């Protein structure tokens, strides 16, 4: 069975702090994909990143970075120098040998000025 | 290019009424997914289509729910009769491809917030 665990239900930080959102996944598939989505207060789901299981390189996009480690089945997301606009619910998701996307329960990030 | 379009954005109805939610996927996308989001159950996949054909409807909660995709650019999710426990945000998403060889990114619409009184 496939499963995504986001153990952090809610995180609060002050602006300019760095914050890491944890994601641990379970799958028996050898080929799989991992995703992060952002859901701001307005409600839409915004795609942030996709990684496949053969690419363990970390990725950086501006203030966002992702650390994929197969050894620990983790795909963590770090926001550097957080801003109020980063306040949202962040979902980690997994897709393997099916068409389905399995979502974690989400981590609510609140960034205070 | 326009993203996934959903209508209406908000729907308030009374218990027992029929509700129809609409979705227009991104042009050229072969897959269309319907999700429901609630506080209690998070994001749930209800049904998805490939080339307008329903592939898996195991997530549809009961017979009151039905979904159709008459063509590549339009899908509906219908609830009849609606009940208060159907209150949720319903998302439509589309992707170019999916499955083990080409699991592509799902792009989500803005959602329809349904309230059943």
């Amino acid at each position: 069975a496939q499963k995504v665990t986001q153990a952090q239900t809610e995180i609060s930080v002050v602006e300019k702090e760095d914050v890491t959102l944890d994601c641990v996944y379970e799958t028996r598939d050898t080929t799989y994909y991992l995703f992060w989505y952002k859901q701001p207060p307005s409600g839409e789901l915004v795609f942030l990143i996709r990684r496949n299981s053969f690419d363990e390189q970390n990725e950086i996009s501006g203030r966002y970075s992702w650390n994929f480690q197969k050894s620990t089945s983790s795909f963590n997301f770090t926001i550097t120098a957080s801003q109020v606009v980063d306040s949202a619910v962040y979902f980690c998701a997994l897709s393997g040998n099916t068409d389905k996307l399995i979502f974690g329960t989400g981590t609510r990030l609140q960034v205070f000025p | 290019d326009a993203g996934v379009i959903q209508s209406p954005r908000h729907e308030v109805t009374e218990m027992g009424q029929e509700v129809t939610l609409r979705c227009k996927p991104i042009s050229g996308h072969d897959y269309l997914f319907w999700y429901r989001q609630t506080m209690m159950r998070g994001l749930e996949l209800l049904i998805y289509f490939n080339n307008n054909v329903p592939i898996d409807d195991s997530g549809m909660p009961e017979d009151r729910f039905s979904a159709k995709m008459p063509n590549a650019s339009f899908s509906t999710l219908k609830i009849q009769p609606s009940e208060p426990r159907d209150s949720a945000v319903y998302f439509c998403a589309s992707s170019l491809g999916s499955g083990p060889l080409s699991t592509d990114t799902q792009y989500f619409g803005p959602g329809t917030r349904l309230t059943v009184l």
Side-chain angles (χ1 to χ4, degrees):
Chain A
Q2 296 184 329
K3 185 179 179 182
V4 175
T5 301
Q6 295 180 257
Q8 304 152 308
T9 305
E10 187 162 339
I11 301 175
S12 295
V13 299
V14 177
E15 215 170 14
K16 296 185 183 177
E17 283 186 34
D18 298 347
V19 58
T20 296
L21 310 181
D22 297 332
C23 173
V24 175
Y25 62 92
E26 295 176 29
T27 181
R28 294 183 178 180
D29 297 333
T30 54
T31 300
Y32 53 90
Y33 296 80
L34 295 162
F35 302 79
W36 277 94
Y37 285 85
K38 174 183 180 180
Q39 188 171 38
S42 51
E44 69 272 27
L45 276 162
V46 179
F47 163 73
L48 294 178
I49 190 171
R50 181 184 78 160
R51 302 296 280 174
N52 72 55
S53 52
F54 298 108
D55 183 0
E56 285 193 72
Q57 282 190 357
N58 292 333
E59 180 150 344
I60 299 175
S61 176
R63 296 183 297 105
Y64 295 173
S65 62
W66 291 269
N67 183 0
F68 176 28
Q69 291 193 343
K70 289 180 74 170
S71 61
T72 56
S73 296
S74 65
F75 186 44
N76 296 338
F77 173 29
T78 296
I79 302 174
T80 303
S82 59
Q83 299 177 2
V84 173
V85 293
D86 296 326
S87 297
V89 179
Y90 292 86
F91 291 94
C92 181
L94 166 70
S95 178
N97 282 337
T98 71
D99 299 318
K100 300 182 181 182
L101 200 55
I102 309 300
F103 283 89
T105 51
T107 297
R108 180 178 299 277
L109 173 65
Q110 293 198 68
V111 182
F112 294 99
Chain B
D1 193 11
V4 176
I5 299 171
Q6 291 186 248
S7 63
R9 294 295 307 276
H10 302 273
E11 177 81 31
V12 180
T13 190
E14 293 190 346
M15 183 174 63
Q17 296 298 306
E18 176 181 302
V19 175
T20 299
L21 310 181
R22 297 172 177 79
C23 174
K24 177 179 170 54
I26 293 172
S27 177
H29 281 192
D30 295 329
Y31 283 79
L32 184 139
F33 304 80
W34 281 101
Y35 290 86
R36 179 172 67 176
Q37 185 179 36
T38 61
M39 288 293 293
M40 292 297 294
R41 300 176 67 91
L43 275 160
E44 305 173 272
L45 177 65
L46 300 178
I47 185 172
Y48 73 94
F49 297 82
N50 178 21
N51 291 321
N52 314 337
V53 177
I55 303 301
D56 187 340
D57 65 354
S58 59
M60 296 286 260
E62 47 197 277
D63 292 345
R64 297 184 297 105
F65 285 70
S66 63
K68 294 182 180 180
M69 191 164 186
N71 58 63
S73 59
F74 183 65
S75 177
T76 60
L77 178 67
K78 184 178 293 186
I79 308 172
Q80 180 185 24
S82 58
E83 296 183 3
R85 59 191 167 122
D86 301 331
S87 297
V89 179
Y90 290 82
F91 287 101
C92 176
S94 70
S95 70
L96 264 176
S98 193
L101 297 181
S102 61
T103 299
D104 213 329
T105 301
Q106 292 184 26
Y107 294 93
F108 285 76
T112 295
R113 182 174 296 277
L114 173 64
T115 303
V116 183
L117 302 173

